[in-house]
Coordinates of all heavy atoms in Angstrom, one line a residue:
M15 N 0.8 -1.2 0.0 CA 0.0 0.0 0.0 C 0.9 1.2 0.0 O 0.6 2.2 -0.8 CB -0.9 0.0 1.3 CG -1.8 1.2 1.4 SD -3.1 1.1 0.1 CE -4.1 2.4 0.7
A16 N 1.9 1.3 0.8 CA 2.8 2.4 1.0 C 3.5 2.6 -0.4 O 3.8 3.8 -0.9 CB 3.8 2.4 2.1
A17 N 3.8 1.5 -1.1 CA 4.6 1.6 -2.4 C 3.7 2.2 -3.4 O 4.1 3.1 -4.3 CB 5.1 0.3 -2.8
T18 N 2.4 1.8 -3.4 CA 1.4 2.3 -4.3 C 1.2 3.9 -4.1 O 1.2 4.7 -5.1 CB 0.0 1.7 -4.1 OG1 0.3 0.3 -4.3 CG2 -0.9 2.1 -5.2
L19 N 1.1 4.4 -2.8 CA 1.0 5.7 -2.6 C 2.2 6.5 -3.0 O 2.2 7.6 -3.6 CB 0.7 5.9 -1.1 CG -0.6 5.5 -0.6 CD1 -0.7 5.8 0.9 CD2 -1.8 6.3 -1.3
A20 N 3.3 5.9 -2.9 CA 4.6 6.6 -3.3 C 4.7 6.7 -4.8 O 5.1 7.7 -5.3 CB 5.9 5.8 -2.8
S21 N 4.1 5.8 -5.4 CA 4.2 5.7 -7.0 C 3.1 6.7 -7.4 O 3.5 7.5 -8.3 CB 3.7 4.3 -7.5 OG 4.7 3.4 -7.1
V22 N 2.1 6.8 -6.9 CA 1.0 7.8 -7.3 C 1.5 9.3 -6.9 O 1.4 10.2 -7.9 CB -0.3 7.6 -6.5 CG1 -1.3 8.7 -6.7 CG2 -0.9 6.3 -6.9
A23 N 2.3 9.4 -5.9 CA 2.8 10.8 -5.6 C 3.8 11.2 -6.6 O 3.9 12.2 -7.0 CB 3.3 10.8 -4.2
A24 N 4.6 10.2 -6.9 CA 5.7 10.5 -7.8 C 5.2 10.7 -9.2 O 5.6 11.7 -9.9 CB 6.7 9.3 -7.9
L25 N 4.2 10.1 -9.6 CA 3.6 10.2 -11.0 C 2.8 11.6 -11.0 O 2.9 12.4 -11.9 CB 2.7 9.1 -11.3 CG 3.3 7.8 -11.7 CD1 2.2 6.8 -11.8 CD2 4.1 7.9 -12.9
S26 N 2.1 12.0 -10.0 CA 1.4 13.2 -9.9 C 2.3 14.4 -9.9 O 2.2 15.5 -10.4 CB 0.4 13.3 -8.8 OG 1.0 13.2 -7.5
A27 N 3.5 14.3 -9.2 CA 4.5 15.3 -9.1 C 5.0 15.5 -10.5 O 5.4 16.6 -10.9 CB 5.6 15.0 -8.2
G28 N 5.3 14.4 -11.3 CA 5.7 14.7 -12.7 C 4.9 15.3 -13.7 O 5.2 15.8 -14.7
C29 N 3.5 15.2 -13.3 CA 2.5 15.8 -14.2 C 2.2 17.2 -13.9 O 1.3 17.8 -14.6 CB 1.3 14.9 -14.1 SG 1.4 13.2 -14.6
S30 N 2.7 17.8 -12.9 CA 2.3 19.1 -12.5 C 2.9 20.0 -13.5 O 3.9 19.7 -14.3 CB 3.0 19.5 -11.2 OG 4.3 19.4 -11.1
K31 N 2.3 21.2 -13.6 CA 2.8 22.2 -14.7 C 4.1 22.7 -14.2 O 4.3 23.2 -13.0 CB 1.7 23.3 -14.6 CG 1.9 24.4 -15.7 CD 0.9 25.4 -15.6 CE 1.2 26.6 -16.5 NZ 0.2 27.7 -16.5
P32 N 5.0 22.9 -15.1 CA 6.4 23.4 -14.8 C 6.1 24.9 -14.5 O 5.3 25.5 -14.9 CB 7.2 23.2 -16.0 CG 6.2 22.9 -17.2 CD 4.9 22.5 -16.5
A33 N 7.1 25.3 -13.6 CA 7.0 26.7 -13.1 C 7.4 27.6 -14.3 O 8.3 27.2 -15.1 CB 8.0 26.9 -12.0
E34 N 6.7 28.7 -14.4 CA 7.0 29.8 -15.5 C 8.4 30.4 -15.1 O 8.6 30.6 -13.9 CB 5.9 30.6 -15.6 CG 4.6 30.1 -16.2 CD 3.6 31.2 -16.4 OE1 4.0 32.3 -16.7 OE2 2.4 30.9 -16.3
P35 N 9.1 30.8 -16.0 CA 10.4 31.5 -15.7 C 10.0 32.8 -15.2 O 8.9 33.4 -15.7 CB 11.0 31.6 -17.1 CG 10.1 31.4 -18.1 CD 9.0 30.4 -17.5
P36 N 10.8 33.5 -14.4 CA 10.5 34.8 -13.9 C 10.6 35.7 -15.0 O 11.2 35.6 -16.0 CB 11.6 34.9 -12.8 CG 12.8 34.1 -13.3 CD 12.1 33.0 -14.0
P37 N 10.0 36.9 -14.8 CA 10.1 38.1 -15.9 C 11.5 38.5 -16.0 O 12.4 38.4 -15.0 CB 9.3 39.2 -15.2 CG 8.4 38.5 -14.2 CD 9.1 37.3 -13.6
T38 N 11.9 38.8 -17.1 CA 13.2 39.2 -17.5 C 13.6 40.6 -17.1 O 12.7 41.4 -16.7 CB 13.5 39.2 -19.1 OG1 12.7 40.0 -19.7 CG2 13.3 37.6 -19.5
V39 N 14.8 40.9 -17.2 CA 15.2 42.3 -16.8 C 14.6 43.3 -17.7 O 14.1 44.3 -17.5 CB 16.9 42.4 -16.8 CG1 17.3 43.8 -16.7 CG2 17.5 41.6 -15.8
S40 N 14.6 43.0 -19.1 CA 13.9 43.8 -20.0 C 12.4 44.1 -19.7 O 11.9 45.1 -19.9 CB 14.2 43.4 -21.4 OG 13.7 42.1 -21.7
W41 N 11.8 42.9 -19.3 CA 10.3 43.1 -19.0 C 10.2 44.1 -17.8 O 9.3 45.0 -17.9 CB 9.8 41.7 -18.6 CG 8.3 41.8 -18.3 CD1 7.3 41.6 -19.3 CD2 7.7 42.0 -17.0 NE1 6.1 41.7 -18.6 CE2 6.3 42.0 -17.3 CE3 8.1 42.3 -15.8 CZ2 5.4 42.2 -16.3 CZ3 7.2 42.4 -14.8 CH2 5.8 42.5 -15.0
Y42 N 11.1 43.9 -16.8 CA 11.0 44.9 -15.6 C 11.2 46.3 -16.1 O 10.7 47.3 -15.6 CB 11.9 44.5 -14.5 CG 11.3 43.4 -13.6 CD1 11.8 42.1 -13.4 CD2 10.0 43.6 -12.9 CE1 11.3 41.2 -12.7 CE2 9.5 42.8 -12.1 CZ 10.0 41.5 -11.9 OH 9.5 40.6 -11.1
M43 N 12.3 46.4 -17.0 CA 12.5 47.8 -17.5 C 11.2 48.5 -18.1 O 11.0 49.6 -18.2 CB 13.6 47.8 -18.5 CG 15.0 47.3 -17.9 SD 15.7 48.6 -16.8 CE 16.2 49.9 -17.9
E44 N 10.5 47.7 -18.7 CA 9.3 48.1 -19.5 C 8.0 48.3 -18.5 O 7.0 48.8 -18.9 CB 8.9 47.1 -20.7 CG 9.9 47.1 -21.8 CD 9.7 46.1 -22.8 OE1 8.7 45.2 -22.6 OE2 10.5 45.9 -23.6
H45 N 8.1 47.7 -17.4 CA 7.1 47.7 -16.3 C 7.6 48.3 -15.0 O 7.8 47.4 -14.1 CB 6.4 46.4 -16.2 CG 5.9 45.8 -17.4 ND1 6.7 45.0 -18.3 CD2 4.7 45.9 -18.0 CE1 5.9 44.6 -19.3 NE2 4.7 45.1 -19.2
P46 N 7.9 49.6 -15.0 CA 8.5 50.1 -13.8 C 7.6 49.9 -12.5 O 8.2 49.9 -11.4 CB 8.7 51.6 -14.2 CG 7.8 51.9 -15.3 CD 7.6 50.6 -15.9
D47 N 6.3 50.0 -12.5 CA 5.5 49.8 -11.3 C 5.8 48.5 -10.7 O 5.8 48.3 -9.5 CB 3.9 50.1 -11.6 CG 3.8 51.6 -12.0 OD1 4.6 52.5 -11.6 OD2 2.7 51.8 -12.7
E48 N 5.7 47.5 -11.6 CA 5.9 46.1 -11.1 C 7.4 45.9 -10.6 O 7.6 45.2 -9.6 CB 5.7 45.1 -12.2 CG 4.2 44.9 -12.6 CD 3.7 45.9 -13.6 OE1 4.4 46.9 -13.8 OE2 2.6 45.7 -14.1
M49 N 8.3 46.6 -11.3 CA 9.7 46.5 -10.8 C 9.9 47.1 -9.4 O 10.4 46.4 -8.6 CB 10.7 47.3 -11.8 CG 12.1 47.3 -11.4 SD 13.1 48.4 -12.3 CE 12.4 50.0 -12.0
R50 N 9.3 48.3 -9.1 CA 9.4 48.9 -7.8 C 8.8 47.9 -6.7 O 9.2 47.9 -5.7 CB 8.8 50.3 -7.9 CG 9.7 51.3 -8.4 CD 9.1 52.7 -8.2 NE 7.9 52.9 -9.0 CZ 7.8 53.3 -10.2 NH1 8.9 53.6 -11.0 NH2 6.6 53.5 -10.9
A51 N 7.6 47.5 -7.1 CA 6.8 46.6 -6.2 C 7.7 45.3 -5.9 O 7.9 44.9 -4.7 CB 5.5 46.2 -6.7
K52 N 8.3 44.6 -6.9 CA 9.2 43.6 -6.7 C 10.4 43.9 -5.9 O 10.9 43.0 -5.0 CB 9.4 42.9 -7.9 CG 10.2 41.6 -7.9 CD 9.5 40.6 -7.0 CE 8.3 39.9 -7.8 NZ 7.7 38.8 -7.1
V53 N 11.0 45.0 -6.2 CA 12.3 45.4 -5.4 C 11.9 45.5 -3.9 O 12.7 45.2 -3.0 CB 12.9 46.6 -6.0 CG1 14.0 47.3 -5.2 CG2 13.4 46.2 -7.4
A54 N 10.8 46.2 -3.7 CA 10.4 46.5 -2.3 C 10.1 45.1 -1.6 O 10.5 44.9 -0.4 CB 9.1 47.4 -2.2
W55 N 9.4 44.2 -2.3 CA 9.2 42.9 -1.8 C 10.4 42.2 -1.5 O 10.7 41.5 -0.5 CB 8.3 42.1 -2.7 CG 7.9 40.7 -2.2 CD1 6.9 40.4 -1.3 CD2 8.5 39.5 -2.6 NE1 6.8 39.1 -1.2 CE2 7.8 38.5 -1.9 CE3 9.5 39.1 -3.5 CZ2 8.2 37.1 -2.0 CZ3 9.8 37.8 -3.6 CH2 9.1 36.8 -3.0
C56 N 11.4 42.2 -2.4 CA 12.6 41.5 -2.2 C 13.5 42.0 -1.1 O 14.2 41.3 -0.4 CB 13.5 41.6 -3.5 SG 12.6 40.8 -4.9
A57 N 13.4 43.4 -0.9 CA 14.2 44.0 0.2 C 13.7 43.6 1.6 O 14.4 43.8 2.5 CB 14.0 45.6 0.0
E58 N 12.5 43.1 1.7 CA 11.9 42.7 3.1 C 12.6 41.5 3.6 O 12.6 41.4 4.8 CB 10.4 42.5 2.9 CG 9.6 43.6 2.6 CD 8.2 43.3 2.4 OE1 7.8 42.1 2.5 OE2 7.3 44.2 2.1
D59 N 13.2 40.6 2.8 CA 13.8 39.4 3.3 C 15.0 39.1 2.4 O 14.9 39.0 1.2 CB 12.9 38.3 3.1 CG 13.5 37.0 3.7 OD1 14.6 36.8 4.1 OD2 12.6 36.0 3.8
M60 N 16.2 39.1 2.9 CA 17.5 38.9 2.2 C 17.6 37.6 1.4 O 18.2 37.5 0.3 CB 18.8 39.0 3.1 CG 19.1 40.4 3.5 SD 20.6 40.7 4.2 CE 21.6 40.1 2.9
Q61 N 16.8 36.5 2.0 CA 16.8 35.3 1.3 C 16.0 35.4 -0.1 O 16.4 34.6 -1.0 CB 16.3 34.3 2.1 CG 17.2 33.8 3.3 CD 16.7 32.6 4.0 OE1 15.4 32.4 4.1 NE2 17.4 31.9 4.8
R62 N 15.1 36.3 -0.2 CA 14.3 36.5 -1.4 C 15.2 37.0 -2.6 O 15.0 36.7 -3.7 CB 13.1 37.5 -1.2 CG 12.0 36.9 -0.3 CD 11.0 38.1 -0.1 NE 10.0 37.6 0.8 CZ 9.2 38.4 1.4 NH1 9.0 39.7 1.0 NH2 8.2 38.0 2.2
Q63 N 16.2 37.8 -2.2 CA 17.1 38.3 -3.2 C 17.9 37.3 -4.0 O 18.4 37.6 -5.0 CB 18.1 39.3 -2.5 CG 17.3 40.5 -2.0 CD 18.3 41.4 -1.1 OE1 19.5 41.5 -1.4 NE2 17.7 42.3 -0.3
T64 N 17.9 36.0 -3.5 CA 18.5 35.0 -4.4 C 17.6 34.5 -5.4 O 18.0 33.7 -6.3 CB 19.1 33.9 -3.5 OG1 17.9 33.3 -2.8 CG2 20.1 34.4 -2.3
L65 N 16.3 34.8 -5.4 CA 15.4 34.3 -6.3 C 15.6 34.9 -7.6 O 16.0 36.2 -7.7 CB 14.0 34.4 -5.8 CG 13.5 33.9 -4.6 CD1 12.2 34.4 -4.1 CD2 13.5 32.5 -4.6
G66 N 15.4 34.2 -8.7 CA 15.6 34.8 -10.1 C 14.7 35.9 -10.3 O 15.2 37.0 -11.0
D67 N 13.5 36.0 -9.8 CA 12.6 37.1 -9.9 C 13.2 38.3 -9.3 O 13.2 39.5 -10.0 CB 11.3 36.8 -9.4 CG 10.2 37.5 -9.9 OD1 10.3 38.3 -10.9 OD2 9.0 37.5 -9.3
C68 N 13.7 38.2 -8.2 CA 14.3 39.3 -7.4 C 15.5 39.8 -8.1 O 15.9 41.0 -8.2 CB 14.6 39.0 -6.0 SG 13.1 38.9 -5.0
A69 N 16.4 38.8 -8.5 CA 17.7 39.2 -9.2 C 17.4 40.0 -10.6 O 18.1 41.0 -10.7 CB 18.4 37.9 -9.5
N70 N 16.4 39.7 -11.2 CA 16.0 40.3 -12.5 C 15.5 41.8 -12.2 O 15.8 42.8 -12.9 CB 15.1 39.6 -13.3 CG 15.7 38.4 -13.9 OD1 16.9 38.3 -13.9 ND2 14.9 37.4 -14.4
A71 N 14.6 41.9 -11.1 CA 14.1 43.1 -10.8 C 15.1 44.0 -10.3 O 15.1 45.3 -10.6 CB 12.9 43.0 -9.6
L72 N 16.0 43.6 -9.4 CA 17.1 44.4 -8.9 C 18.1 44.8 -10.0 O 18.6 45.9 -10.0 CB 18.0 43.6 -7.8 CG 17.1 43.3 -6.5 CD1 17.7 42.3 -5.6 CD2 16.9 44.7 -5.7
A73 N 18.3 43.9 -10.9 CA 19.2 44.3 -12.1 C 18.6 45.4 -12.9 O 19.2 46.4 -13.3 CB 19.4 43.1 -12.9
A74 N 17.4 45.3 -13.1 CA 16.5 46.2 -13.9 C 16.5 47.6 -13.2 O 16.7 48.7 -13.7 CB 15.1 45.9 -14.2
N75 N 16.4 47.6 -11.9 CA 16.4 48.7 -11.1 C 17.8 49.5 -11.1 O 18.0 50.6 -11.2 CB 16.0 48.5 -9.6 CG 15.8 49.7 -8.7 OD1 15.1 50.6 -9.2 ND2 16.3 49.8 -7.6
G76 N 18.8 48.5 -11.0 CA 20.2 49.2 -11.1 C 20.5 49.8 -12.5 O 21.0 50.9 -12.7
R77 N 20.0 49.3 -13.6 CA 20.1 49.8 -15.0 C 19.4 51.1 -15.0 O 19.9 52.0 -15.5 CB 19.6 48.8 -16.0 CG 20.6 47.7 -16.3 CD 20.0 46.8 -17.4 NE 20.9 45.6 -17.5 CZ 20.6 44.7 -18.4 NH1 19.6 44.8 -19.3 NH2 21.3 43.5 -18.4
K78 N 18.1 51.1 -14.4 CA 17.4 52.4 -14.5 C 18.1 53.5 -13.8 O 18.1 54.6 -14.2 CB 16.1 52.0 -13.8 CG 15.2 53.3 -13.8 CD 13.8 52.9 -13.3 CE 12.9 54.2 -13.1 NZ 13.0 54.9 -11.9
Q79 N 18.7 53.2 -12.6 CA 19.4 54.2 -11.9 C 20.6 54.7 -12.5 O 20.8 55.8 -12.6 CB 19.8 53.6 -10.4 CG 18.6 53.5 -9.5 CD 18.9 52.8 -8.3 OE1 20.0 52.4 -8.0 NE2 17.9 52.8 -7.4
L80 N 21.3 53.8 -13.3 CA 22.5 54.2 -14.0 C 22.1 55.0 -15.3 O 22.8 56.0 -15.6 CB 23.2 53.0 -14.5 CG 24.2 52.3 -13.5 CD1 24.8 51.0 -14.1 CD2 25.1 53.2 -13.0
G81 N 21.0 54.7 -15.8 CA 20.5 55.5 -16.9 C 20.1 56.8 -16.7 O 20.4 57.9 -17.4
S82 N 19.7 57.2 -15.4 CA 19.5 58.5 -15.0 C 20.7 59.3 -14.8 O 20.7 60.5 -14.8 CB 18.7 58.5 -13.7 OG 19.3 58.0 -12.6
M83 N 21.8 58.6 -14.5 CA 23.1 59.3 -14.4 C 23.8 59.6 -15.8 O 24.6 60.6 -15.8 CB 24.1 58.4 -13.5 CG 23.6 58.3 -12.1 SD 24.9 57.3 -11.3 CE 23.9 56.8 -10.0
K84 N 23.2 59.1 -16.8 CA 23.7 59.5 -18.1 C 23.4 60.8 -18.5 O 24.0 61.4 -19.4 CB 23.2 58.5 -19.2 CG 23.8 57.0 -19.0 CD 23.1 56.1 -20.1 CE 23.6 54.8 -19.9 NZ 22.9 53.9 -20.8
D85 N 22.3 61.4 -18.0 CA 22.0 62.7 -18.3 C 22.7 63.9 -17.5 O 22.5 65.0 -17.9 CB 20.4 62.8 -18.0 CG 19.6 61.9 -19.0 OD1 20.1 61.6 -20.1 OD2 18.5 61.5 -18.6
L86 N 23.5 63.5 -16.6 CA 24.3 64.4 -15.8 C 25.3 65.1 -16.7 O 25.9 64.5 -17.6 CB 24.9 63.8 -14.7 CG 24.1 63.2 -13.6 CD1 24.9 62.5 -12.5 CD2 23.3 64.3 -12.8
P87 N 25.6 66.5 -16.5 CA 26.6 67.1 -17.3 C 28.0 66.4 -16.8 O 28.2 66.0 -15.7 CB 26.5 68.5 -16.9 CG 25.8 68.5 -15.6 CD 25.0 67.3 -15.5
P88 N 29.0 66.6 -17.8 CA 30.2 66.1 -17.5 C 30.9 66.9 -16.4 O 30.7 68.0 -16.2 CB 31.1 66.1 -18.7 CG 30.4 67.1 -19.6 CD 28.9 67.2 -19.1
I89 N 31.8 66.2 -15.7 CA 32.5 66.8 -14.6 C 33.8 67.5 -15.2 O 34.6 66.7 -15.9 CB 32.9 65.9 -13.5 CG1 31.7 65.3 -12.8 CG2 33.8 66.6 -12.5 CD1 31.9 64.3 -11.8
E90 N 34.0 68.7 -15.1 CA 35.3 69.4 -15.5 C 36.1 69.5 -14.4 O 36.0 70.6 -13.7 CB 34.8 70.6 -16.2 CG 33.8 70.5 -17.3 CD 33.5 71.7 -18.1 OE1 34.3 72.7 -18.1 OE2 32.4 71.8 -18.6
W91 N 37.2 68.7 -14.3 CA 38.0 68.7 -13.2 C 38.9 70.0 -13.1 O 39.4 70.5 -12.1 CB 38.8 67.4 -13.1 CG 38.0 66.2 -12.9 CD1 37.5 65.4 -13.8 CD2 37.4 65.8 -11.6 NE1 36.8 64.4 -13.2 CE2 36.7 64.7 -11.9 CE3 37.4 66.3 -10.3 CZ2 36.0 64.0 -10.9 CZ3 36.8 65.7 -9.3 CH2 35.9 64.4 -9.6
N92 N 39.4 70.4 -14.2 CA 40.4 71.4 -14.3 C 39.8 72.8 -14.6 O 40.5 73.7 -14.8 CB 41.5 71.1 -15.4 CG 42.3 69.8 -15.1 OD1 42.5 69.6 -13.9 ND2 42.6 69.1 -16.2
R93 N 38.6 72.9 -14.6 CA 37.9 74.2 -14.7 C 38.1 75.1 -13.6 O 37.8 74.6 -12.4 CB 36.5 73.9 -15.0 CG 35.6 75.2 -15.3 CD 34.2 74.7 -15.6 NE 33.4 75.9 -15.8 CZ 32.1 75.9 -15.9 NH1 31.5 74.9 -15.9 NH2 31.5 77.0 -16.1
P94 N 38.5 76.3 -13.8 CA 38.8 77.2 -12.6 C 37.4 77.6 -12.0 O 36.3 77.7 -12.7 CB 39.4 78.4 -13.1 CG 39.2 78.3 -14.7 CD 38.9 76.9 -15.0
D95 N 37.4 77.9 -10.6 CA 36.2 78.2 -10.1 C 35.8 79.7 -10.4 O 36.6 80.5 -10.3 CB 36.4 78.1 -8.5 CG 35.1 78.3 -7.6 OD1 34.1 78.4 -8.2 OD2 35.3 78.3 -6.4
P96 N 34.5 79.8 -10.9 CA 34.2 81.2 -11.3 C 34.0 82.3 -10.2 O 34.0 83.4 -10.5 CB 32.8 81.1 -12.0 CG 32.4 79.7 -11.4 CD 33.4 79.0 -11.1
K97 N 34.1 81.7 -9.0 CA 33.9 82.6 -7.8 C 35.2 83.4 -7.4 O 35.2 84.3 -6.7 CB 33.4 81.9 -6.6 CG 32.0 81.3 -6.8 CD 31.5 80.6 -5.6 CE 30.2 80.0 -5.8 NZ 29.8 79.2 -4.7
H98 N 36.4 82.9 -7.9 CA 37.6 83.5 -7.7 C 38.2 84.3 -8.8 O 38.3 84.3 -9.9 CB 38.6 82.3 -7.3 CG 38.3 81.7 -6.0 ND1 37.7 80.4 -6.1 CD2 38.4 82.1 -4.7 CE1 37.5 80.0 -4.7 NE2 37.9 81.1 -4.0

């Protein structure tokens, strides 16, 4: 009887629907509201950050933040201070 139950359990586990892959980084870039929500959810627990979904949301968030820095004016290191 126990062997039969184990067989049924093994067969039913094999018939389950495979997990869908997590959204990609580019998907999160195109869906900023979902990205912010997922980043906030991932930040609540450090173990969540190892999940593929969290990794992709965090990567998209990082790319978004870097993109905003591209619009900054260049730093002119040798430019004299106009106040002097």
Side-chain angles (χ1 to χ4, degrees):
M15 178 73 170
T18 304
L19 289 176
S21 298
V22 170
L25 289 173
S26 63
C29 296
S30 64
K31 182 179 175 183
E34 291 185 26
T38 62
V39 173
S40 59
W41 184 89
Y42 277 119
M43 295 290 292
E44 296 169 5
H45 300 87
D47 292 336
E48 288 87 348
M49 177 187 64
R50 282 189 293 273
K52 184 58 72 172
V53 167
W55 181 80
C56 296
E58 292 174 1
D59 184 353
M60 287 192 62
Q61 288 184 338
R62 292 178 184 169
Q63 294 178 20
T64 62
L65 301 173
D67 201 12
C68 286
N70 290 346
L72 292 167
N75 190 48
R77 286 186 188 178
K78 180 179 179 270
Q79 290 175 352
L80 284 176
S82 66
M83 291 183 198
K84 291 179 184 177
D85 298 330
L86 294 174
I89 297 173
E90 298 181 30
W91 294 104
N92 296 325
R93 183 176 173 190
D95 188 3
K97 296 179 184 176
H98 292 104

